[in-house]
Amino acid sequence: MKLDFFYSALMMAVGGILIYLAIKKKMEPTLLLPMGFGAILVNIPGSMIASSEAHGILAWLYEIGINNAEVFPLLLFIGIGAMIDFGPLLSKPWLIFIGAAGQGGIFITMIIASLFFPINDAASIGIIGAADGPTAILVSMRLHSSFIAPILIVAYCYMALVPIIQPIVLRLVTTQKEREIEMHYKPNGVSQTTRILFPIIVTVVSGLIAPDSISLVGMLMFGNLIRECKVLGSLQRAAENILSPLITRLLGLAIAPKMSGAELLRWESLMIISFGLLAFTFDTICGVLFIKVANLFLKQKVNPLIGGAGISSFPMSSRVVQSEGLKANKQNHLLPFALGANVSGQIASVIAGGLILRFFS
C-alpha cells in the first residue's frame, strides 16, 4: 500500500515536470501539457477517471482514440498533411533518398533492443527513431507492446529535444570544411497538377510496398490533397489550425490510463529512454553518412548537414540544419534543401513503420 502511494506521488511529480516543460520551456506544449495533467488525474489515490469499469472519461478516450479504432493518430495525420508543403521535395526529388537513409536508426536500434526485449517491444522502441508520434502510437499499439506509455513519452520528449540533441551529433560527425559547403537552391517549377497527383501516387506506391502503412500514409496524403487542391481552403485551414492541435491535446489525455506509477516506474522505462536517444542519434548519423558516401561520386558536393533533416521531426530538424550551416558559413542557406529532406523523412518514417508491422505484427 505504501509502495503504491509512493508510485502515485512520484508519477504526479512527473506530471508536474511535464507541465513545467510544456509551459516554461515550451517543449511540445500541445502534447506534454495534457500528458502531464493526465498523469496527475490518473495517479490521484482513489481516482476512477481511467477505470473502464467506472466508465471513466480517460478510459473511454483511450479505448476509442487509441486502443480499438486508432482514431486519434489517424485524424492527427490529416492535420499534419494539411500543414506540409512538398514543393521543395518535388523540386529536388533526389532528396527522397536522404529521407530514406534517415530511418536507419530505427532498424539499428530495433536490432540492439531485441537483445533485451521481445521483438515486438524492440520494434516498438526502434520506431521512436521515426521522430513521429502518430507512427509510434500505431506501431506500438498494433504490436501489443508492453511499454506503450514510456515509448510515447520518450518519443515526444526527444522530438522536443531535437534542437538540443541534433546540433551536438551533427558537429561530431561532420568537419568544419564539410559544414561550410555552400548550396545554391534553384527551384524547379512545380505545377498544381504535380502537387495534386503526388499524394495520390505516394498513397498507391506506399500501399504496394507496405500495406500496413496505408492508413497512416493515406490520412497524411489526404490532408495534403486538401491543401493542394485549392478548392477546400476553409477545410484546409480547419485541419491545420483546429483539428491538429485539438486531436493532439486529446491524444495527450488519452494515453493517461497508461501512465500509472506501477506501469511506468520500471527499469525497462530507463532502458527505453536510452534506446530512444540511440535511435535519434543513429537516424541523424545515417542521413549524414549517406551524403558523405554520395559525395565520393558527386562532382558538385552536397553539404552533409542536410542529412540531419532526414528524420520526420518537421520542421525542427530543418531549422537545426539551417542554423548549423549559418554558423559554419554566413552565406550558407540550407533551409530549402533541409525542408525537402524533412518532408521526405515524414513519408519514409511512415513507410518504415508499415514495414515493421508487416514483418513483426
Side-chain angles (χ1 to χ4, degrees):
M1 189 67 180
K2 289 183 178 180
L3 189 60
D4 290 340
F5 181 80
F6 171 75
Y7 283 156
S8 296
L10 192 55
M11 280 308 301
M12 291 174 71
V14 170
I17 293 172
L18 293 178
I19 292 174
Y20 169 80
L21 293 175
I23 297 175
K24 189 70 176 179
K25 301 298 182 180
K26 295 181 173 58
M27 292 172 54
E28 292 289 332
T30 55
L31 188 81
L32 293 191
L33 183 64
M35 280 175 58
F37 194 69
I40 294 174
L41 288 173
V42 168
N43 288 282
I44 294 174
S47 172
M48 301 296 286
I49 196 170
S51 169
S52 56
E53 290 82 4
H55 305 289
I57 180 63
L58 294 188
W60 180 82
L61 285 175
Y62 173 77
E63 290 298 327
I64 299 299
I66 298 178
N67 191 34
N68 291 332
E70 299 165 346
V71 170
F72 289 161
L74 297 179
L75 288 179
L76 184 56
F77 253 49
I78 295 177
I80 293 173
M83 289 188 279
I84 292 179
D85 178 10
F86 286 110
L89 173 60
L90 293 172
S91 180
K92 307 291 181 184
W94 56 269
L95 292 169
I96 192 70
F97 297 108
I98 298 176
Q103 312 310 309
I106 295 173
F107 301 98
I108 294 172
T109 304
M110 181 182 71
I111 293 170
I112 297 174
S114 67
L115 301 175
F116 304 91
F117 295 92
I119 189 62
N120 66 312
D121 290 324
S124 301
I125 293 168
I127 205 66
I128 293 173
D132 187 340
T135 302
I137 292 170
L138 199 73
V139 170
S140 57
M141 288 300 303
R142 291 193 181 179
L143 292 182
H144 305 290
S145 173
S146 303
F147 307 103
I148 293 171
I151 286 171
L152 297 188
I153 293 171
V154 169
Y156 277 103
C157 285
Y158 278 133
M159 283 171 61
L161 290 172
V162 162
I164 297 174
I165 297 172
Q166 272 208 313
I168 298 171
V169 178
L170 288 171
R171 290 171 204 156
L172 287 175
V173 295
T174 59
T175 65
Q176 178 69 22
K177 185 177 180 181
E178 288 174 330
R179 294 194 292 274
E180 290 175 354
I181 296 176
E182 289 190 19
M183 301 287 294
H184 300 284
Y185 186 73
K186 297 178 181 178
N188 301 320
V190 180
S191 67
Q192 186 183 5
T193 301
T194 301
R195 288 175 174 270
I196 290 173
L197 288 175
F198 179 74
I200 299 172
I201 294 171
V202 168
T203 301
V204 174
V205 173
S206 300
L208 294 174
I209 295 173
D212 289 296
S213 71
I214 194 66
S215 56
L216 280 174
V217 172
M219 294 302 101
L220 180 71
M221 292 299 128
F222 175 64
N224 188 249
L225 185 59
I226 291 174
R227 173 192 177 95
E228 300 298 349
C229 70
K230 305 301 183 184
V231 295
L232 297 171
S234 59
L235 185 59
Q236 185 258 324
R237 290 189 293 273
E240 180 179 353
N241 301 320
I242 299 175
L243 179 66
S244 183
L246 175 62
I247 294 298
T248 302
R249 286 166 174 80
L250 291 175
L251 181 61
L253 286 173
I255 66 171
K258 293 293 181 180
M259 296 180 69
S260 65
E263 185 163 347
L264 269 182
L265 299 176
R266 296 182 280 178
W267 66 269
E268 293 94 340
S269 298
L270 297 177
M271 293 189 67
I272 290 171
I273 293 174
S274 302
F275 283 127
L277 179 60
L278 196 68
F280 267 77
T281 300
F282 275 124
D283 271 353
T284 302
I285 292 174
C286 285
V288 170
L289 289 182
F290 173 80
I291 295 181
K292 284 192 171 194
V293 172
N295 278 343
L296 297 176
F297 307 95
L298 296 174
K299 291 183 179 180
Q300 187 173 353
K301 305 303 181 185
V302 177
N303 193 312
L305 286 174
I306 296 172
I311 66 174
S312 180
S313 182
F314 177 85
M316 285 181 287
S317 60
S318 299
R319 293 170 181 162
V320 169
V321 169
Q322 168 73 355
S323 175
E324 291 301 306
L326 285 175
K327 288 177 182 177
N329 181 350
K330 296 297 183 183
Q331 305 302 315
N332 214 357
H333 298 283
L334 305 178
L335 188 60
F337 296 97
L339 285 171
N342 212 174
V343 296
S344 69
Q346 184 84 59
I347 299 172
S349 68
V350 177
I351 295 176
L355 290 172
I356 287 175
L357 288 175
R358 182 176 183 178
F359 290 108
F360 299 110
S361 63

